[in-house]
Amino acid sequence: RVHLLEQTRRDFVANVSHELRTPLTVLNGYVETLRGEVDDEISPWRRSLDSMHMQTQRMQRIVQDLLLLSRLESVQNGQRHEPVPVPAILAALAEEARDLSGDKQHQIDLQADNRWLQGHADELTSVFSNLIFNAVQYTPEKGRIAIRWWVDAQGGHFQVSDTGIGIPERHIPRLTERFYRVDSGRSRSEGGTGLGLAIVKYVLQRHQATLSIKSTVGVGSEFTCHFPSVRVVEQLRQA
């Protein structure tokens, strides 16, 4: 009975998210068209249109994340996995993070082992980007963000550490719950959906990996993904 209830919940979320996608796309399209008009009659509504545009985009991101979560829950772990070029992906994401940082002028450092992972490239990229971009969003200007990928006897490890605002200890066990927010107002103003870490959790489970979180308020946070040794590709495949 519990299994059937869970399946019903997943189907409901997937169906509602899918149905919302089209009207949101249409609505956002009309708003963008109006924002592009230079007619004087539109000017008094400019601020309202900008707010509508921001909120429809946020709703679209929520729908996309819900659909991704639904797919992660429904697709079996036995899907075909291939070698994933972790160093190249992290290098690209580090550049994106620097662009996202903009005027905040974060110091973003990357240290990456040259070994790859056996897995699903898009899903792993989602994990890496969620953790990196979260660090950019919640680290004050001129703060430091360190991205590391290394391999040891225990397996492969991906880590993002920052000198950000930190997270109170009581919140850490619940961070990977859907829509859980440490500070609802701040999270919404930053454009977060509250689903990023839930996606991280599901993807890691599908790769037999785990997530550890350390954080101190006012000092910073450290998120580390631990992958088993069997997932590490010791030598790159030649084309």
Side-chain angles (χ1 to χ4, degrees), residues 183-237:
D183 182 339
S184 298
R186 182 180 178 89
S187 296
R188 290 192 176 92
S189 67
E190 294 288 349
T193 65
L195 293 167
L197 290 178
I199 291 172
V200 168
K201 181 185 74 171
Y202 275 101
V203 172
L204 291 180
Q205 287 177 349
R206 288 159 60 81
H207 289 76
Q208 297 81 49
T210 58
L211 175 68
S212 63
I213 305 172
K214 298 179 182 178
S215 188
T216 303
V217 175
V219 177
S221 304
E222 180 182 282
F223 291 78
T224 310
C225 305
H226 306 280
F227 296 88
S229 298
V230 293
R231 287 277 178 183
V232 176
V233 178
E234 291 293 336
Q235 294 183 351
L236 306 185
R237 289 189 174 183

Side-chain angles (χ1 to χ4, degrees), residues 57-96:
Q57 286 195 319
R58 178 169 173 265
M59 290 174 69
Q60 285 181 313
R61 289 194 295 270
I62 291 175
V63 167
Q64 289 168 358
D65 283 351
L66 283 170
L67 287 171
L68 175 56
L69 269 174
S70 178
R71 183 178 66 80
L72 291 173
E73 288 180 323
S74 60
V75 177
Q76 296 300 313
N77 291 346
Q79 63 180 313
R80 186 168 65 92
H81 285 174
E82 297 178 344
V84 177
V86 175
I89 291 173
L90 295 183
L93 290 175
E95 283 303 312
E96 287 186 41

